[in-house]
Amino acid sequence: MADHEEAKGGESLLDKISEKIRGGGGGSSSPSDSDDDKPLEAAKAQGKAPPSPPPPKVFRLFGREQPVHKVLGGGKPADVFLWRNKKVSAGALGVATVIWALFELAEYHLLTLVSHCLILALAVLFLWSNAHTFIHKTPPRIPEVSIPEEPVLQFASVLRLEINRAFSVLRDIASGKDLKKFLLVIAGLWLLSIVGKWCNFLTLFYIVFVLLHTVPVLYEKHEDKVDPFAERAMGELKKQYAVFDTKVLSKIPRGPLKDKNKVA
């Protein structure tokens, strides 16, 4: 009887050892696998769908991570550029077109335009005042016109911040830390100087104004098609820059500043 119980105990011990070997020694599971399966098991136990993996990162032009509206600063200026209010956007573009046509096509001058506008306004107010006094026997109340202080101060503050930021960027570029950025800025300024020969400042400003009212809204509508094309173009530019760096930039002799710093 004792021998029989010892045999059963030995068999149960062997069974336990074999189960442990099958469970842990087969290589099919690991602590990391069990940790990964815990969220799935918890979601199944609660009757919920398992969490989906994060979507792959999509390439966006200029590395932006926010919508176009946020990139443009948000608020009313972004609404105007993206035609959220079509009447305001069309009115701004129409006024800019009229101003450009007056100064460029009609060859009006700023001082002449201001003088003519003041003459017209004074003449209309003078006639209206006399007509109102003659009809109603009382002088009319001409509204006071004044420029509020707060918007002017806000505009001046924003302009000052942007100018200081531009100076900071130019200082970083001139410090010689990033040769690629330096060459891009030089190329951009060179293209700007060429464009400056073709048209004056007012025409250039009008072109930029029209582009701000057309390019962002078109890009927002077709960004899914533009971004893949831009990704391929950026890859090709990086390849060409790598070739240019290997054949030209790497052969430019560097100054002795680095060697002195290493010795020091």
Side-chain angles (χ1 to χ4, degrees):
M1 187 71 178
D3 294 338
H4 184 65
E5 290 178 355
E6 289 178 359
K8 283 185 178 180
E11 288 177 0
S12 63
L13 182 62
L14 290 174
D15 292 338
K16 291 180 180 179
I17 294 173
S18 62
E19 287 177 0
K20 289 184 179 179
I21 293 174
R22 290 173 184 174
S28 60
S29 64
S30 62
S32 61
D33 294 337
S34 62
D35 292 339
D36 294 339
D37 293 339
K38 284 181 180 179
L40 297 176
E41 293 176 357
K44 289 180 180 178
Q46 296 177 1
K48 297 179 180 179
S52 58
K57 190 175 181 180
V58 181
F59 176 85
R60 293 300 181 190
L61 196 61
F62 303 117
R64 66 178 181 87
E65 297 180 355
Q66 296 178 340
V68 181
H69 190 272
K70 291 289 185 181
V71 174
L72 293 175
K76 293 182 179 180
D79 292 341
V80 173
F81 293 142
L82 295 176
W83 293 75
R84 296 286 193 267
N85 191 337
K86 295 183 179 180
K87 292 182 179 179
V88 176
S89 301
L93 190 59
V95 169
T97 303
V98 169
I99 293 174
W100 177 78
L102 284 174
F103 286 107
E104 290 299 318
L105 300 182
E107 296 183 352
Y108 237 57
H109 297 283
L110 179 62
L111 185 60
T112 304
L113 179 62
V114 172
S115 300
H116 288 175
C117 290
L118 289 176
I119 290 171
L120 180 62
L122 288 174
V124 170
L125 288 174
F126 181 81
L127 293 175
W128 174 66
S129 177
N130 283 277
H132 189 279
T133 304
F134 178 77
I135 295 172
H136 299 284
K137 306 301 181 181
T138 56
R141 293 185 59 185
I142 299 176
E144 296 182 0
V145 179
S146 62
I147 300 175
E149 182 180 3
E150 186 176 354
V152 176
L153 293 178
Q154 289 179 354
F155 177 77
S157 177
V158 171
L159 183 62
R160 182 182 64 84
L161 289 175
E162 294 299 329
I163 292 175
N164 289 336
R165 186 181 300 175
F167 285 156
S168 177
V169 171
L170 291 175
R171 185 188 62 182
D172 292 339
I173 293 172
S175 63
K177 296 178 182 178
D178 193 344
L179 181 60
K180 181 180 179 181
K181 188 182 292 184
F182 172 77
L183 293 175
L184 287 175
V185 172
I186 293 298
L189 292 175
W190 179 67
L191 289 175
L192 189 62
S193 66
I194 294 176
V195 173
K197 294 180 180 179
W198 297 340
C199 57
N200 56 18
F201 179 76
L202 181 61
T203 302
L204 182 61
F205 180 80
Y206 176 69
I207 292 173
V208 173
F209 193 81
V210 172
L211 290 177
L212 284 174
H213 279 76
T214 53
V215 174
V217 65
L218 291 176
Y219 171 70
E220 188 182 35
K221 290 181 179 180
H222 306 285
E223 60 181 348
D224 294 335
K225 297 179 181 179
V226 175
D227 287 338
F229 178 78
E231 185 178 9
R232 292 193 295 269
M234 292 295 293
E236 187 64 27
L237 285 176
K238 289 180 179 179
K239 291 180 182 179
Q240 296 299 328
Y241 177 78
V243 173
F244 179 71
D245 187 17
T246 304
K247 293 184 178 180
V248 179
L249 298 181
S250 61
K251 296 180 181 180
I252 298 176
R254 303 291 182 180
L257 182 61
K258 288 186 176 181
D259 297 336
K260 289 182 180 180
N261 291 333
K262 288 181 180 179
V263 172

